[in-house]
Amino acid sequence: MLGAIHGGHSSKLCLGSCRAVRPSALCYRGLVVRAGELPPNYEEKMQGARDPFAGEVGTQFTAKPLGQADTFHIIRPPTGMDKVTGLRSRRCKPCEAGKAQALDSLTCESLRNQVPGWRLVKDKAGHTCIQQEWKFLNFVSSVEFFRRVGAVAEMEGHHPDLHLEDWNRVWIQLATHSVGGLTENDFILAAKINDIEISDLRQRPKAKPRNFV
Ligand SMILES: C[C@H](O)[C@H](O)[C@H]1CNC2=NC(N)=NC(=O)C2=N1
């Protein structure tokens, strides 16, 4: 459960989850709100937040605590930290046609460097997309991989093009169809797809013959 946001900016990068000290109210940038009325895009602001240190709690965080004595506080990570903590921890944003712009090639190249295994290609319509290929144990494992990817895509509201041929050869293409090119959503989803556990689906390395002595 996340707590109040201490108005100050932490100079330390603090990662980890937050724990309520005593859930009585939230002090958000000096504004005390009831826990039920979380400010908008609260999760985004809490990215990389952490538990307060004992000393911080003990000293009420500073001489001038922003919340009530019994609010619970979180030291916010420095502004813009989400750019540093990586694509995997970010969320895709809904993109309506005409509102989002496709990324330029320089930006695509730098984002591509953050998603190992993916490469920039042209899809069948000639639009730039990113693609990665896999080979799985069998047809069932390939379909299970699609199921796992589908769950992440639905969670993010951003969807890949899934291809499966020769019963266990899989490739995925990612592009933002509403802009006809690549947006950050594609790289965020690519990073999350890279995080999917697939060791149970891959071809097992050929067992070496064991010498029975
Ligand atoms: C509103 C919402 O963002 C759109 O319907 C989403 C759904 N999933 C999507 N997935 C992809 N790959 N491209 C899109 O443009 C897209 N649009």
Side-chain angles (χ1 to χ4, degrees):
M1 175 55 190
L2 298 180
I5 296 174
H6 193 55
H9 287 270
S10 151
S11 55
K12 298 178 282 301
L13 167 61
C14 318
L15 292 173
S17 66
C18 297
R19 203 178 46 248
V21 173
R22 268 192 304 281
S24 75
L26 282 170
C27 164
Y28 178 63
R29 293 178 183 283
L31 171 71
V32 181
V33 294
R34 289 291 137 226
E37 304 143 12
L38 291 184
N41 63 349
Y42 184 75
E43 290 77 14
E44 262 179 49
K45 296 226 174 311
M46 292 324 306
Q47 203 152 45
R50 68 161 167 85
D51 292 340
F53 298 125
E56 289 163 332
V57 178
T59 57
Q60 288 289 314
F61 291 85
T62 61
K64 300 181 288 309
L66 281 171
Q68 315 299 331
D70 63 348
T71 53
F72 49 95
H73 292 73
I74 290 163
I75 307 295
R76 259 168 30 101
T79 309
M81 189 43 71
D82 59 323
K83 297 277 181 284
V84 177
T85 49
L87 293 163
R88 62 159 48 97
S89 55
R90 291 174 56 195
R91 302 301 309 270
C92 292
K93 295 187 176 71
C95 46
E96 309 289 341
K99 288 214 179 109
Q101 294 288 327
L103 297 174
D104 61 66
S105 51
L106 212 57
T107 309
C108 289
E109 197 41 56
S110 85
L111 287 169
R112 198 216 56 73
N113 289 326
Q114 296 174 47
V115 284
W118 294 85
R119 54 200 177 87
L120 289 158
V121 297
K122 294 286 186 197
D123 66 13
K124 57 184 183 300
H127 294 142
T128 306
C129 64
I130 48 177
Q131 173 173 314
Q132 180 166 185
E133 304 84 15
W134 294 263
K135 193 156 190 163
F136 289 108
L137 203 52
N138 50 38
F139 185 75
V140 170
S141 299
S142 305
V143 171
E144 170 57 20
F145 175 60
F146 278 0
R147 189 192 66 75
R148 296 179 191 180
V149 170
V152 175
E154 273 306 292
M155 185 88 73
E156 293 301 321
H158 195 69
H159 304 89
D161 291 348
L162 304 174
H163 303 264
L164 163 51
E165 287 188 10
D166 306 336
W167 82 82
N168 70 344
R169 204 162 53 81
V170 162
W171 71 100
I172 292 182
Q173 288 188 339
L174 282 170
T176 302
H177 303 305
S178 50
V179 305
L182 286 166
T183 65
E184 279 197 347
N185 282 353
D186 301 304
F187 294 93
I188 291 168
L189 187 55
K192 292 177 188 280
I193 289 174
N194 278 358
D195 275 354
I196 294 172
E197 175 52 55
I198 56 173
S199 57
D200 59 322
L201 306 174
R202 295 301 285 257
Q203 298 207 330
R204 290 184 188 78
K206 296 262 180 297
K208 290 190 180 53
R210 293 169 56 184
N211 312 323
F212 291 96
V213 289

